[in-house]
Structures are given as structure tokens and as C-alpha cells.
């Protein structure tokens, strides 16, 4: 029959064709598409006791339409990522009931009883019990299992070959790791950020460091990644009295540097911090960097004795984790920058009554993370330069200062 783009009216018959629903007289369908790339439908019965979600990849970027074509084969990458995670962290992803490769559609658990983490944070609520720690664990479980430490060499090479995603990786290489630092039609920002946008484009040291991170992204095939791990791709809530998290939308999944996933999450935590401060809110954001790293590091170390290649001995582990940490800090900076003067901005900042002060300060924070990533060794070091009021007073010349210089300026 070939690829067909589903409409809400098509979903009942589609679910029956796929063997997921029998009684077409007892099904209600509504569209809940909210992202940049796909359409999502929720199907439920009248009593509300049964539900399924259908997610279909479109042949273009949804918010742009056919003028920005995009292969729907990204759904293959998402299905493959879910299959890998299901083997090591099934409690942290939605249950997948089937994948239709012909129509690039996933049928999965209905998560409408949960909330998107970004929405929760924007409304001033806390992260919830152990959310950040469990996200760190998720990254460790997925990446260890699909790295040379956790997977036999032949299987790893097959996974790398199957996970090649040139089109989606090119989006990240461009949108996150180059376009914000040049003049490009995708970039946009608040007019009161004109000076900083120009400053970033003219900062040759910054561009060199971003180029280094871009090259790491392009060449460091350490493990299978989620590829787009942010507070908008995590759902949280409670079921049967217990906290629940679900990491979803791994359609940008590919084999790359482990620090990239961690860095994206950190960037979103830091932007959420800026929002809370701008609103004068008391929140628990400061602990989230530490908790997510502790969750990652503790779980990775727990899994280490199970490694399949014992040539990588215990003495090597500390060096490897330091490399992951440093990459994560830098990638966090690039994600912050692109979310403010690049493409696809965050509602954390755009919905503020006055987004400019927080945006300016967070942009400067992003630059410091990129430039000083090798100097920052602990979450507390990032908290030291997270004083956004002092960051507002930094200029391009300050980029050469040491972390000690920043701390001295805060005394």
C-alpha cells in the first residue's frame, strides 16, 4: 500500500489493521502533535480505561511544512533506539507495541497521564523525586550497553553501521554546532540580543572551540545516544503511588560521544534555572547537575565490571569519565547558545514577561561553558560561573580568564 500520512479519522482503522484495536465503535482519537518533526495521535475508549499513542514521522519538518523536506526514515532510528533501551532500561521508556516501517509509525504506551518535564518546570514545580538521577542512569545504561565496553566488537560494528543517520546528524552539526556562530537564515533572536549575537559571530576563540566540539560530535562513535535529550523529551508523573519517568523521542539517535546526551540535559537544566531566577522562584535546579552526573557515573561504574573487553582496565575508567564530563560541559554550552540565538528556542525563556535579562546572562554562561570546559571539574564549578548577574558583566576579553578569576570577581 505504501507510505500514507495518517489523519485522525484514519487512526481507528489503522489500529485495527495492525491488530491493536478491535471495537471501532469504542474508540476516540485526538491529535496532540506538539514537536517540530512528527504527528502524534492518542486513541482511547469511551470509559478511559484503555489508550494507545500513534506517532508518525512526516516527510518534512512539521513546523516548516514541505518547504523543509526531511526523510521519515528517522522513525527507523527511533524504533532501533527503543529496542536497545528496552533491553537495559525498560522502566525509563514508553512501552512500544509495534513499529510499522512502511508508514514510519510507532504504536506505543499512552502517556497522557504524565506531564512533559519542561511544562512542569515552567509552571514552577520541582523536578520530582530522583528525576535527574534517573536520567543520568538512563544515559549510562544505554551508552554502556552499546559501547565497546558493553558490546562485543562484531555486534558493535553492526550497530554502528545500522545506526548511521547522515541527515539527522547533519541537522545537529548545522543547527547546534555551526549556524549560531555565522549569519544564517535559521537564526533568530530578540532584537535586544543583537549585540551578543554579533559578538559571538566575531569571537574567533569561541568559534574554534565550537569547531573542536563539532569535530568530536562528528568523529567520536562511543555509544548509541538518544541524540535529543532535553526536558521536552522526558515525561514525569506518578502511577500507583510511585514516581515515573519516561524518556521519549529518540529519533535523532545515532552512535556518537556520550557527553552529548548529558550536555543537552544540563543545558536545559541551566536554562530552567535562569527562568526560575528571573521569576524570583525558589527551585531545586542547582542540585540537578550533580544528581544527573552522580546517576550517570554511579551506574556506569556499577556496570564496569561486566565489560566485555578487559583490556580497558579500572585505571582507564577515570580517564574515560573525565573525557565524557568535559565533552558534556562543552556541549551544554553549545545547546544553550543555539536555543537563544539559533533555531528552535525554549519556552523557558520566551514565555518570561521580559526574556532579555535571563537570555543575555544565559548566553554568556553558554560561552563560558564552551571556553572553560577543561577547567571545570565538578558540578560545583559550574555553579560558580552560574551567577548570571555577574556573567552579565563579562565581555569578550573575560573569556581568557581562569575559573579562579571568575571566583575572585565574585568576592
Amino acid at each position: 500500500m505504501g507510505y500514507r500520512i495518517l489523519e485522525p479519522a484514519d487512526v481507528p482503522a489503522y489500529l485495527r489493521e495492525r491488530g491493536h484495536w478491535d471495537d471501532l465503535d469504542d474508540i476516540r482519537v485526538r491529535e496532540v502533535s506538539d514537536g517540530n518533526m512528527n504527528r502524534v495521535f492518542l486513541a482511547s475508549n469511551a470509559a478511559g480505561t484503555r489508550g494507545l499513542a500513534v506517532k508518525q514521522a512526516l516527510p518534512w519538518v512539521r513546523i516548516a511544512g514541505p518547504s523543509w523536506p526531511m526523510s521519515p526514515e528517522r522513525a527507523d532510528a527511533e524504533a532501533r533506539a527503543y529496542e536497545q533501551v528496552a533491553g537495559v532500561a525498560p522502566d525509563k521508556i514508553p512501552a512500544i507495541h509495534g513499529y510499522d516501517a512502511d508508514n514510519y509509525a510507532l504504536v506505543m504506551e499512552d502517556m497522557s497521564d504524565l506531564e512533559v518535564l519542561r511544562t512542569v518546570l515552567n509552571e514552577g514545580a520541582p523536578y520530582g523525586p530522583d528525576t535527574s538521577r534517573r536520567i543520568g542512569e538512563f544515559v549510562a545504561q544505554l551508552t554502556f550497553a552499546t559501547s565497546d565496553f558493553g558490546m562485543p566488537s562484531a555486534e558493535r560494528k553492526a550497530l554502528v553501521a545500522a545506526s548511521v543517520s547522515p541527515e539527522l546528524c547533519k541537522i545537529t552539526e548545522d543547527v547546534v554546532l555551526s549556524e549560531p556562530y555565522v549569519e544564517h537564515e535559521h537564526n533568530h533572536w530578540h532584537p535586544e540580543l543583537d549585540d551578543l549575537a554579533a559578538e559571538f559571530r566575531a569571537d574567533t576563540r569561541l568559534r574554534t572551540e565550537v569547531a573542536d566540539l563539532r569535530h568530536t560530535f562528528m568523529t567520536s562513535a562511543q555509544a548509541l545516544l538518544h541524540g535529543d535529550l532535553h526536558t521536552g523529551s522526558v515525561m514525569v508523573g506518578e502511577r500507583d503511588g510511585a514516581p515515573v519517568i519516561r524518556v521519549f523521542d529518540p529519533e535523532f539517535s545515532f552512535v556518537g560521544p556520550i557527553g552529548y546526551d548529558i550536555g543537552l540535559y544540563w543545558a536545559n537544566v541551566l536554562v530552567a534555572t535562569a527562568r526560575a531566577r528571573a521569576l524570583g522562584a525558589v527551585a531545586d535546579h542547582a542540585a540537578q547537575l550533580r544528581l544527573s552526573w552522580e546517576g550517570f557515573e554511579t551506574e556506569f561504574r556499577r556496570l564496569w565490571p561486566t565489560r566485555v573487553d578487559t583490556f580497558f582496565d579500572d585505571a582507564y575508567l577515570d580517564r574515560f569519565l573525565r573525557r565524557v564530563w568535559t565533552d558534556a560541559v562543552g556541549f551544554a554550552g553549545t545547546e544553550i547558545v543555539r536555543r537563544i540565538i539559533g533555531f528552535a528556542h525554549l519556552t523557558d525563556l520566551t514565555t518570561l514577561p521580559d526574556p532579555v535579562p535571563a537570555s543575555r546572562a544565559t548566553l554568556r554562561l553558554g560561552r563560558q561553558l564552551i571556553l572553560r570546559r577543561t577547567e571545570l571539574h565538578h558540578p560545583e564549578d559550574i555553579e560558580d560561573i552560574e551567577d548570571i548577574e555577574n556573567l552579565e558583566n563579562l565581555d569578550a576579553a573575560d573569556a581568557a580568564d581562569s575559573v579562579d578569576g571568575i571566583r575572585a570577581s565574585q568576592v
Side-chain angles (χ1 to χ4, degrees), residues 77-98:
E78 180 168 5
R80 185 166 49 247
Y82 279 135
E83 182 179 7
Q84 289 291 333
V85 180
V88 293
D91 60 320
K92 298 181 179 71
I93 58 170
I96 305 300
H97 299 293

Side-chain angles (χ1 to χ4, degrees), residues 121 127 266-281 283-289 348-349 358 362 365 386-388:
L121 299 177
Y127 285 78
W266 285 354
N268 279 252
V269 168
L270 292 167
V271 171
T273 303
R275 175 185 176 85
R277 289 180 174 180
L279 295 173
D284 58 351
H285 298 81
Q288 303 308 314
L289 299 182
D348 310 52
L349 298 178
T362 311
L365 171 61
E386 194 197 342
D387 185 335
I388 60 177

